[in-house]
Amino acid sequence: MVQFKVKVSRLEINVEQVGHGQHVILCLPGALGFIDHDFGPLASLFDHEKFTVVMWDPPGFGKSRPPDRDFRKGAEYFSRDATWAFELMRVTKQ
């Protein structure tokens, strides 16, 4: 499995994608998580013929730094993550 960078909203997002199936799964890390820590053995459990598994380090976590994570505006970072995740899926599905 190989990690690579994807440009999303002027940010470089670290991504790992396995499988090539029709059903796409986006794995979101837990609090302070990142690909290597949260998803290591998980991706190999899916049928790679049926599923495409996309794992990411949200901006500010893991290998998606800089920038550092910005928590200054309260829970607004959830909305930013959702927007970036949506854009990531549009970019990686092409």
Side-chain angles (χ1 to χ4, degrees):
M1 293 184 269
V2 176
Q3 295 181 15
F4 56 95
K5 300 282 183 148
V6 174
K7 190 142 187 122
V8 173
S9 299
R10 300 185 321 255
L11 299 168
E12 294 287 323
I13 306 292
N14 188 53
V15 176
E16 187 169 319
Q17 184 171 321
V18 296
H20 51 273
Q22 168 182 347
H23 304 288
V24 181
I25 299 169
L26 174 63
C27 296
L28 305 171
L32 305 177
F34 53 97
I35 292 171
D36 296 330
H37 179 264
D38 287 4
F39 308 120
L42 177 68
S44 65
L45 299 177
F46 289 95
D47 181 338
H48 294 177
E49 298 294 320
K50 293 181 181 177
F51 297 97
T52 300
V53 181
V54 178
M55 300 156 281
W56 77 322
D57 290 332
F61 290 115
K63 296 175 186 168
S64 292
R65 294 186 321 212
D68 288 333
R69 189 67 167 176
D70 182 3
F71 293 104
R72 290 177 291 178
K73 295 185 180 179
E76 187 177 302
Y77 61 87
F78 290 124
S79 178
R80 285 192 314 258
D81 282 356
T83 299
W84 290 326
F86 176 77
E87 288 298 319
L88 173 70
M89 294 306 287
R90 286 177 17 138
V91 171
T92 57
K93 193 57 182 166
Q94 293 178 359

